[in-house]
Amino acid sequence: MTALCILLPSPPASSSKQPAAMEWRVAIFFAFLLNVAESRMLHRHEFGIASTLDSSRCSTEKNMLSLATITFAQFVPEATLEEINKMTSDVMTAIKKPTSDEQHGGCLENQISVFLDEICHEKELSEKHGYSDCCSQSGEERHQCLLARKKTASASILPFSFPEAAESCKAYEENREVFMNRVVYEVSRRYPFMYAPAILSLAVQYDKTVPVCCKAENPEECFQTKRASIAKELKEGSLLNEHVCAVIRKFGSRNLQATTIIKMSQKFPKANFTEIEKLVLDVAHIHEECCLGNAMECLQDGEKIMSYICSQQDILSSKIAECCKLPTLELGYCIIHAENDDRPEGLSSNLDGVLGDRNFGKLSSEEKIMFMARFLYEYSRRHTKFAVSVILRVAKTYQEIMEKCSQSEDSAACQENGEEELQKHIQESQALAKQSCALYQKLGDYYLQKVFLIAYTRKVPQLTSAELIDLTRKMVSIASTCCQLSEDNWSACGEGAADLFIGHLCIRHEVNPLNPGIGHCCNSSYSNRRPCITSLVMDESYVAPPFSADKFTLNKNLCQAQGRTLQIMKQELLVNLVKQKPDMTEEQHEAVTADFSGFLEKCCQDQEQEACFAEEGPKLISRTRAALGV
């Protein structure tokens, strides 16, 4: 389970810094994926690849009100429901009004601009909610400005508090549409990066839940159970969508489309290359529209491609038949999470026969692009259980080998020798997964998190105690999930989860830079993020602050606290200790821990606990400082 071993040293081959020349060559490798056209027409004809999406910009009445609410609430989360409803009403009028003799109402050349125009239309609102600087700009600059403020704006919104069951049931019964519109509004303003189809899908779930729970023997208990499940899906879905959008923003479309071709080839290994190309370009286009906040196109194009996939079941997959019977809003989630189809019989492990002439020196630039696209497809459909990030690293190395060997006198022999390098990425990931799960099984949740806390406080001491505790708790959660799977799934599970939480560490760094090591790992190479973070040991730029006893709160609350509260208090003390002495040795740590345990036991058993802490606390701090030399 690779995510666990981020704290462990990785082999030099995986963690070494990639030369600039290689990064440039890798850019060529992804170039066929690079230029998702701004318009549908270019998108459709790039490299002669047809699109499953038509060029229609016509909105439909279905879900339009909810989509407008989502768009406005995500861009202006501070706005009241009344303000959102006013903007929604105005834009619905604009959408329904024909813009020319040839166009019917609901057809828009640029849907998102209509919404942004409305957001900026009321000067009073833009000044009230602090986005007038964005509205003073125009076109793409205005759009990017409003996108950039999403995270900080939504952070000011208090967590949503569900009303009591009786109140919910009454409101739902009185006016279901108004009730559900508020649900969509409240969710959207708190999850500004969540894709519109995902919000609508969860809203449908909640719409079904309310009448069931209102008739239940214990409505409050029913609501608590159902809401907890929906809240979990909301949080996880939003984190994933925000991660994808951050990757597009940082690395452009090439990484998005590279990962998409891997996922599509693994999910539909029987599909031919032409079909995969078509799906990849369209799916990547949809991600980009969703990330731009274009809720209508995000939903409409998503529905079109899911409909297309279901119409092509015979050539794509035998595993999605049940999904394709579901309503539209449930269909997408089902297909995304469906099992990979079985690999076609007779697939050779040797790619020589299917890739054709491998002499790069004879290939044109466009032929090289399509050759590497074909490599990703053929390699992924043969290795449906490999992690996406591992395949990306394999592909980078393969590109490098092909470039080098094209200059060799004996190109075939050169390539044969070079293929051993490809296996190193696979072996490194699998070895880390095995080592990690062994560590988890040996230590268990509590002590494993303790190990992570020490390691990550050294790597990223700039994070707060709360952030470090939350980050390492997620890592332990990954362990408990991935290590329960069969061993051949450990690597893919761990790498996938690690990619997500490292992605959010990088988003945190983007908002407020942490340290040079994290910056290098986050910005230099997407596919190498995990090995790069693994290789970090300590932030060499970090200077420990002057010692302050105030950082170490020692009082009788330590005796009264129980369970998770006590655990967090102890973890905060540990984090502050490591921040004070990042290069603390294992022997020093054990000595200080033993001293603290003895102190805690003594004072908690004392009848005068407060007096004991007041007397013995300063002594403990003095001994700790002496032991650590701080």
Side-chain angles (χ1 to χ4, degrees):
M1 205 279 296
T2 317
L4 294 178
C5 278
I6 289 172
L7 63 107
L8 301 174
S10 61
S14 299
S15 60
S16 58
K17 185 178 179 181
Q18 305 297 340
M22 192 190 98
E23 288 295 313
W24 181 82
R25 288 195 297 270
V26 171
I28 295 177
F29 154 73
F30 290 121
F32 95 103
L33 304 166
L34 193 56
N35 299 312
V36 174
E38 300 272 331
S39 71
R40 295 284 179 82
M41 196 59 68
L42 288 173
H43 177 207
R44 172 181 286 177
H45 293 130
E46 187 177 13
F47 288 102
I49 299 169
S51 170
T52 64
L53 308 174
D54 58 42
S55 59
S56 169
R57 296 283 174 153
C58 290
S59 304
T60 61
E61 290 286 341
K62 186 180 178 183
N63 296 313
M64 197 186 292
L65 183 65
S66 292
L67 289 170
T69 300
I70 291 169
T71 304
F72 289 128
Q74 288 189 326
F75 273 109
V76 194
E78 311 97 326
T80 65
L81 179 58
E82 290 70 25
E83 290 168 339
I84 295 294
N85 285 342
K86 171 65 167 58
M87 288 191 279
T88 298
S89 176
D90 289 348
V91 85
M92 292 286 284
T93 301
I95 288 175
K96 291 176 181 178
K97 183 179 179 181
T99 56
S100 70
D101 293 338
E102 292 80 22
Q103 262 187 348
H104 298 293
C107 293
L108 299 170
E109 286 302 320
N110 189 345
Q111 289 178 346
I112 191 64
S113 69
V114 177
F115 287 90
L116 301 185
D117 287 344
E118 178 59 32
I119 287 171
C120 291
H121 176 65
E122 297 290 343
K123 188 177 180 182
E124 186 179 329
L125 278 185
S126 66
E127 290 178 350
K128 175 184 176 182
H129 298 305
Y131 58 87
S132 56
D133 57 329
C134 292
C135 292
S136 66
Q137 303 175 53
S138 61
E140 185 62 20
E141 289 75 19
R142 179 183 67 172
H143 190 175
Q144 290 303 319
C145 182
L146 288 168
L147 281 172
R149 70 179 296 275
K150 271 189 173 186
K151 191 170 184 71
T152 51
S154 64
S156 65
I157 308 300
L158 294 173
F160 182 60
S161 179
F162 282 103
E164 292 184 0
E167 187 180 341
S168 292
C169 294
K170 182 183 178 184
Y172 185 87
E173 187 177 350
E174 287 178 350
N175 195 321
R176 173 183 160 274
E177 286 188 10
V178 170
F179 179 89
M180 289 309 303
N181 185 50
R182 175 168 281 280
V183 169
V184 169
Y185 160 74
E186 296 290 1
V187 168
S188 302
R189 66 200 294 249
R190 288 171 173 83
Y191 297 95
F193 299 99
M194 194 163 193
Y195 294 176
I199 293 176
L200 290 177
S201 178
L202 289 170
V204 167
Q205 280 189 46
Y206 195 61
D207 195 9
K208 293 177 179 178
T209 293
V210 177
V212 171
C213 286
C214 289
K215 294 177 183 176
E217 187 176 340
N218 188 334
E220 199 63 57
E221 184 179 322
C222 176
F223 271 115
Q224 285 179 0
T225 303
K226 299 288 187 181
R227 285 168 178 169
S229 173
I230 291 173
K232 183 174 183 291
E233 285 187 51
L234 266 174
K235 187 174 182 180
E236 291 177 354
S238 178
L239 287 173
L240 179 59
N241 293 159
E242 185 179 8
H243 170 63
V244 171
C245 295
V247 170
I248 295 172
R249 187 171 64 248
K250 174 64 66 177
F251 297 98
S253 58
R254 71 171 182 264
N255 288 92
L256 167 67
Q257 296 185 37
T259 57
T260 304
I261 198 172
I262 294 168
K263 289 177 181 178
M264 287 291 176
S265 301
Q266 289 181 323
K267 186 168 287 291
F268 307 133
K270 292 176 184 173
N272 62 41
F273 181 48
T274 302
E275 201 63 41
I276 293 295
E277 285 178 305
K278 190 187 331 181
L279 290 173
V280 165
L281 289 172
D282 287 344
V283 168
H285 173 76
I286 291 167
H287 275 294
E288 290 181 324
E289 290 301 325
C290 295
C291 290
L292 288 171
N294 193 341
M296 286 193 175
E297 193 165 330
C298 176
L299 176 69
Q300 291 165 359
D301 284 355
E303 289 178 345
K304 288 172 188 173
I305 199 165
M306 291 304 168
S307 175
Y308 176 80
I309 287 172
C310 285
S311 73
Q312 302 295 317
Q313 288 181 66
D314 291 346
I315 62 173
L316 290 178
S317 175
S318 61
K319 306 289 186 180
I320 59 174
E322 292 304 311
C323 294
C324 293
K325 297 176 184 176
L326 296 172
T328 306
L329 285 174
E330 298 172 38
L331 172 60
Y333 182 90
C334 183
I335 290 179
I336 289 167
H337 292 87
E339 182 184 354
N340 291 344
D341 199 16
D342 302 322
R343 287 195 321 171
E345 293 181 7
L347 274 185
S348 169
S349 59
N350 191 326
L351 298 184
D352 289 359
V354 293
L355 291 178
D357 187 359
R358 296 200 296 171
N359 188 340
F360 257 37
K362 295 180 179 178
L363 300 180
S364 68
S365 297
E366 186 169 313
E367 286 171 335
K368 287 182 181 180
I369 290 169
M370 298 312 295
F371 180 93
M372 290 310 302
R374 186 67 182 245
F375 171 83
L376 264 186
Y377 160 74
E378 295 290 358
Y379 192 90
S380 300
R381 68 199 289 251
R382 284 164 169 76
H383 301 285
T384 56
K385 288 192 173 184
F386 279 12
V388 170
S389 55
V390 170
I391 295 179
L392 286 175
R393 294 196 282 274
V394 166
K396 279 188 174 185
T397 301
Y398 184 74
Q399 170 83 8
E400 190 176 38
I401 290 168
M402 297 303 290
E403 294 284 1
K404 182 182 75 172
C405 291
S406 67
Q407 309 299 321
S408 172
E409 291 183 3
D410 190 346
S411 179
C414 174
Q415 290 173 19
E416 199 68 36
N417 294 331
E419 287 181 9
E420 294 179 8
E421 294 296 314
L422 305 184
Q423 293 301 315
K424 290 183 180 179
H425 295 295
I426 300 159
Q427 292 162 0
E428 182 260 358
S429 181
Q430 291 175 343
L432 283 173
K434 192 170 184 178
Q435 187 179 0
S436 298
C437 283
L439 191 64
Y440 170 68
Q441 289 157 4
K442 177 183 177 182
L443 297 178
D445 289 16
Y446 178 77
Y447 288 103
L448 183 63
Q449 188 176 2
K450 188 176 179 181
V451 171
F452 287 159
L453 272 174
I454 294 172
Y456 266 79
T457 304
R458 286 171 172 162
K459 290 176 193 278
V460 207
Q462 295 81 7
L463 291 175
T464 65
S465 296
E467 287 175 320
L468 285 161
I469 291 168
D470 181 61
L471 176 69
T472 54
R473 185 166 62 244
K474 288 175 181 173
M475 294 174 69
V476 172
S477 177
I478 292 169
S480 65
T481 300
C482 294
C483 295
Q484 302 301 320
L485 304 175
S486 58
E487 188 172 336
D488 61 343
N489 288 310
W490 286 354
S491 170
C493 179
E495 290 273 6
D499 178 55
L500 186 57
F501 85 74
I502 288 173
H504 280 274
L505 179 62
C506 292
I507 291 172
R508 166 68 172 81
H509 174 80
E510 186 178 7
V511 173
N512 189 6
L514 295 165
N515 63 56
I518 295 295
H520 168 72
C521 291
C522 289
N523 300 330
S524 60
S525 166
Y526 171 69
S527 64
N528 204 49
R529 274 180 169 183
R530 200 278 302 154
C532 184
I533 294 284
T534 302
S535 68
L536 295 179
V537 177
M538 192 179 300
D539 176 20
E540 300 297 338
S541 69
Y542 176 71
V543 178
F547 185 87
S548 172
D550 294 340
K551 293 283 186 181
F552 302 90
T553 306
L554 304 172
N555 55 45
K556 66 179 182 180
N557 291 338
L558 285 166
C559 304
Q560 296 168 349
Q562 294 180 350
R564 184 169 173 75
T565 303
L566 177 60
Q567 181 178 326
I568 290 175
M569 292 174 75
K570 288 182 176 181
Q571 289 171 338
E572 286 175 343
L573 288 169
L574 176 60
V575 167
N576 286 326
L577 196 64
V578 178
K579 285 188 177 187
Q580 202 67 58
K581 181 74 172 177
D583 58 350
M584 174 177 59
T585 65
E586 184 62 30
E587 291 74 19
Q588 287 175 319
H589 174 237
E590 288 178 358
V592 169
T593 300
D595 195 8
F596 174 77
S597 297
F599 156 79
L600 200 59
E601 183 177 359
K602 177 182 178 180
C603 285
C604 288
Q605 290 178 356
D606 197 299
Q607 290 186 346
E608 298 293 333
Q609 290 181 352
E610 200 65 70
C612 179
F613 276 100
E615 181 180 347
E616 297 296 330
K619 294 178 183 177
L620 173 68
I621 290 175
S622 295
R623 292 195 301 272
T624 299
R625 291 189 67 179
L628 299 179
V630 296

